Amino acid sequence: MPELPEVETIKRVIEPQIQGRMITKVAVRRPEVAAYPEADEFCRRLTGQTVSHMSRQGKFLIIHLENKERIVLHLRMTGGLLLAPAQCPEEKYTHVVFSLDNGTELRFSDMRRFGRFWLLREEETDTCTGMDKLGLDPLAPACNAEYLSSHLSKRRKAIKECLLEQTIIAGIGNIYSDEILFTAGIYPARPANSLMQTEWERLAEVIPERISYFIEKNAITAEEYLETKGRDYRNTPFLQVYGHGGSPCPKCRETLCRMVIGGRSSVYCPVCQKAPSSQSTLL
């Protein structure tokens, strides 16, 4: 699933290409992908509208229109967004196509068909996307040690699971939670209520640093993005632990271990992220 750095990359590539462009036609090939309103109204209301700008909230993308309506998109597991010339062959599993007035098309493809669009009016209360339940963005200054501690320090759940809770921090998934905890030197299965204040402070520093780092490493030109169909996430070679179970730790050379926490795979270093003695049996 694309996480915050990937979603931010999509926004940075797509936004300058669609700003000021008029939507001349909308085709929804699978009606369920237009979650709200129904596909026919979704297409009708968007036809003739002009794009103002884009924004991001957690893993959600928002396309703002000049009439103050907004298109909300969540890519879910396998969704992708691509701007291509109309004559360029479509990707397999293309479900929504926005034709623009300069001869390009904004295309949404999704193999597993979990991605969803919503179209909201200017003053309409958002009761359908789930964005109202999101916690702070990890890059927000307010996402500090005090915020993390006040929301998580009484929880018995593993800190890895807590970082994945979108109602607390919006945008972190399995990949970057592993990277954050490795950099912070915190064992991923530790109960959140066992962390010391210094560790909350360390997490508050590491979270925005790691997210910003991977956004930077993901940087790609519009031409490269089109050529790779928007699937070339360039930060992959810079991942230190995620997906590297069984490999040497990049810091101490100890073998990285893998375990399952809350149904999710987690990779960590048993030396750099030493488990408390009470949890050593989990290794």
Side-chain angles (χ1 to χ4, degrees), residues 2 7 26 53 60 63 85 101 106-108 127-128 134 167 172 178 182-183 185 202 221 224-225 267 271:
V7 176
V26 182
H53 63 285
F60 288 83
I63 301 175
D101 61 358
L106 184 62
R107 302 168 178 173
F108 171 74
T127 61
C128 53
L134 293 178
T167 57
I172 297 175
D178 274 4
F182 174 71
T183 302
R202 193 184 317 149
T221 67
E224 292 167 332
Y225 185 89
V267 179
V271 173

Coordinates of all heavy atoms in Angstrom, one line a residue, residues 2 7 26 53 60 63 85 101 106-108 127-128 134 167 172 178 182-183 185 202 221 224-225 267 271:
P2 N 0.6 2.2 -0.9 CA 1.3 3.5 -0.8 C 1.2 4.1 0.6 O 0.1 4.2 1.1 CB 0.7 4.3 -1.9 CG 0.0 3.3 -2.8 CD -0.4 2.2 -2.0
V7 N 2.4 8.8 -1.5 CA 1.3 9.7 -1.8 C 1.7 11.1 -2.0 O 1.3 11.8 -2.9 CB 0.2 9.6 -0.7 CG1 -0.9 10.6 -0.9 CG2 -0.3 8.2 -0.6
V26 N -15.4 12.7 -17.9 CA -15.1 11.7 -16.9 C -15.7 10.4 -17.2 O -16.9 10.3 -17.6 CB -15.5 12.2 -15.5 CG1 -15.1 11.2 -14.5 CG2 -15.0 13.6 -15.2
H53 N -5.9 23.2 -7.3 CA -4.7 22.7 -6.7 C -5.0 21.3 -6.1 O -6.1 20.8 -6.1 CB -4.1 23.6 -5.7 CG -5.0 23.8 -4.5 ND1 -6.1 24.6 -4.5 CD2 -4.9 23.4 -3.2 CE1 -6.7 24.6 -3.3 NE2 -6.0 23.9 -2.5
F60 N -4.6 10.2 2.0 CA -5.6 10.7 1.1 C -5.1 11.8 0.2 O -4.3 12.7 0.7 CB -6.8 11.3 1.9 CG -7.7 10.3 2.6 CD1 -7.3 9.8 3.8 CD2 -8.9 9.8 2.0 CE1 -8.1 8.9 4.5 CE2 -9.7 8.9 2.7 CZ -9.3 8.5 3.9
I63 N -8.1 16.7 -4.7 CA -8.0 17.6 -5.9 C -9.1 18.7 -5.7 O -10.3 18.4 -5.6 CB -8.3 16.8 -7.2 CG1 -7.2 15.7 -7.3 CG2 -8.2 17.8 -8.4 CD1 -7.5 14.8 -8.6
P85 N -0.7 11.3 -22.1 CA -1.3 11.8 -23.3 C -2.5 10.8 -23.7 O -2.4 9.6 -23.4 CB -0.2 11.7 -24.4 CG 1.1 11.7 -23.6 CD 0.8 11.0 -22.3
D101 N -8.4 19.4 -20.8 CA -8.5 20.2 -22.0 C -7.2 20.4 -22.8 O -7.2 21.0 -23.9 CB -9.1 21.6 -21.7 CG -8.2 22.4 -20.7 OD1 -7.1 21.8 -20.3 OD2 -8.5 23.5 -20.3
L106 N -6.0 12.1 -16.8 CA -5.6 11.7 -15.5 C -6.3 10.3 -15.3 O -7.6 10.2 -15.2 CB -6.1 12.7 -14.5 CG -5.7 12.4 -13.0 CD1 -4.1 12.4 -12.9 CD2 -6.3 13.5 -12.1
R107 N -5.5 9.3 -15.1 CA -6.1 7.9 -15.0 C -5.8 7.3 -13.7 O -4.7 7.3 -13.1 CB -5.4 7.0 -16.1 CG -5.6 7.6 -17.5 CD -4.7 6.9 -18.5 NE -4.9 7.3 -19.9 CZ -4.2 7.0 -20.9 NH1 -3.2 6.1 -20.7 NH2 -4.4 7.4 -22.1
F108 N -6.8 6.6 -13.2 CA -6.7 5.8 -12.0 C -6.8 4.4 -12.3 O -7.8 3.9 -12.9 CB -7.8 6.2 -11.0 CG -7.9 5.4 -9.8 CD1 -6.9 5.5 -8.8 CD2 -8.9 4.4 -9.6 CE1 -7.0 4.6 -7.6 CE2 -9.0 3.6 -8.5 CZ -8.0 3.7 -7.5
T127 N -18.9 13.2 5.7 CA -19.3 12.1 6.6 C -19.0 10.7 5.9 O -19.5 9.7 6.4 CB -20.8 12.2 6.8 OG1 -21.5 12.1 5.5 CG2 -21.2 13.4 7.5
C128 N -18.3 10.7 4.8 CA -18.1 9.5 4.0 C -16.7 9.1 3.8 O -16.4 7.9 3.6 CB -18.8 9.6 2.7 SG -18.4 11.0 1.7
L134 N -8.9 11.1 11.1 CA -7.5 11.0 11.0 C -6.8 11.8 12.1 O -7.3 12.8 12.6 CB -7.0 11.6 9.7 CG -7.3 10.8 8.4 CD1 -6.8 11.5 7.2 CD2 -6.8 9.4 8.5
T167 N -5.8 7.1 13.3 CA -6.5 8.1 14.2 C -5.5 8.8 15.1 O -5.9 9.8 15.7 CB -7.5 7.4 15.0 OG1 -6.9 6.3 15.8 CG2 -8.6 6.7 14.1
I172 N 1.5 6.8 8.3 CA 2.6 5.9 8.5 C 2.0 4.5 8.4 O 0.9 4.1 8.9 CB 3.2 6.0 9.9 CG1 3.9 7.4 10.1 CG2 4.2 4.9 10.2 CD1 4.4 7.6 11.5
D178 N 8.6 0.4 10.6 CA 9.9 -0.3 10.8 C 11.1 0.6 10.7 O 12.0 0.5 11.6 CB 10.0 -1.4 9.7 CG 9.3 -2.7 10.0 OD1 8.7 -2.8 11.1 OD2 9.5 -3.7 9.2
F182 N 13.6 1.5 13.9 CA 15.0 1.1 13.8 C 15.9 2.3 14.1 O 16.8 2.3 14.9 CB 15.3 0.6 12.5 CG 16.8 0.3 12.2 CD1 17.4 -0.7 12.9 CD2 17.5 1.1 11.4 CE1 18.8 -1.0 12.7 CE2 18.9 0.9 11.2 CZ 19.5 -0.1 11.8
T183 N 15.6 3.4 13.5 CA 16.4 4.7 13.7 C 16.3 5.1 15.1 O 17.3 5.6 15.7 CB 15.9 5.8 12.7 OG1 16.0 5.3 11.4 CG2 16.7 7.0 12.9
G185 N 15.9 3.2 17.7 CA 16.4 2.2 18.5 C 15.4 1.6 19.5 O 15.8 1.2 20.6
R202 N 12.6 11.0 21.4 CA 13.4 10.5 20.3 C 12.5 10.2 19.1 O 12.7 10.5 18.0 CB 14.2 9.3 20.7 CG 15.2 8.8 19.7 CD 15.9 7.6 20.2 NE 16.2 7.6 21.6 CZ 16.2 6.5 22.4 NH1 16.0 5.3 21.8 NH2 16.5 6.6 23.6
T221 N 11.0 13.1 -11.7 CA 10.4 14.1 -12.7 C 9.1 13.5 -13.3 O 8.9 12.3 -13.2 CB 11.4 14.3 -13.8 OG1 11.6 13.2 -14.6 CG2 12.8 14.8 -13.3
E224 N 9.9 10.9 -15.9 CA 10.3 9.6 -15.3 C 9.1 8.9 -14.7 O 9.0 7.7 -14.8 CB 11.4 9.8 -14.3 CG 12.7 10.3 -14.8 CD 13.7 10.8 -13.8 OE1 13.2 11.3 -12.7 OE2 14.9 10.7 -14.0
Y225 N 8.3 9.7 -14.1 CA 7.0 9.1 -13.5 C 6.2 8.5 -14.5 O 5.7 7.4 -14.4 CB 6.3 10.2 -12.8 CG 5.1 9.8 -12.0 CD1 5.2 9.4 -10.6 CD2 3.8 9.8 -12.5 CE1 4.1 9.0 -9.9 CE2 2.7 9.4 -11.8 CZ 2.9 9.0 -10.5 OH 1.7 8.6 -9.8
V267 N 10.4 -6.1 10.9 CA 11.9 -6.4 10.8 C 12.6 -5.5 11.8 O 12.3 -4.3 11.8 CB 12.4 -6.3 9.4 CG1 13.9 -6.6 9.4 CG2 11.7 -7.3 8.5
V271 N 20.1 -6.3 18.3 CA 21.1 -5.6 19.1 C 20.8 -4.1 19.2 O 20.7 -3.5 20.3 CB 22.5 -5.7 18.5 CG1 23.5 -4.9 19.2 CG2 22.9 -7.2 18.5

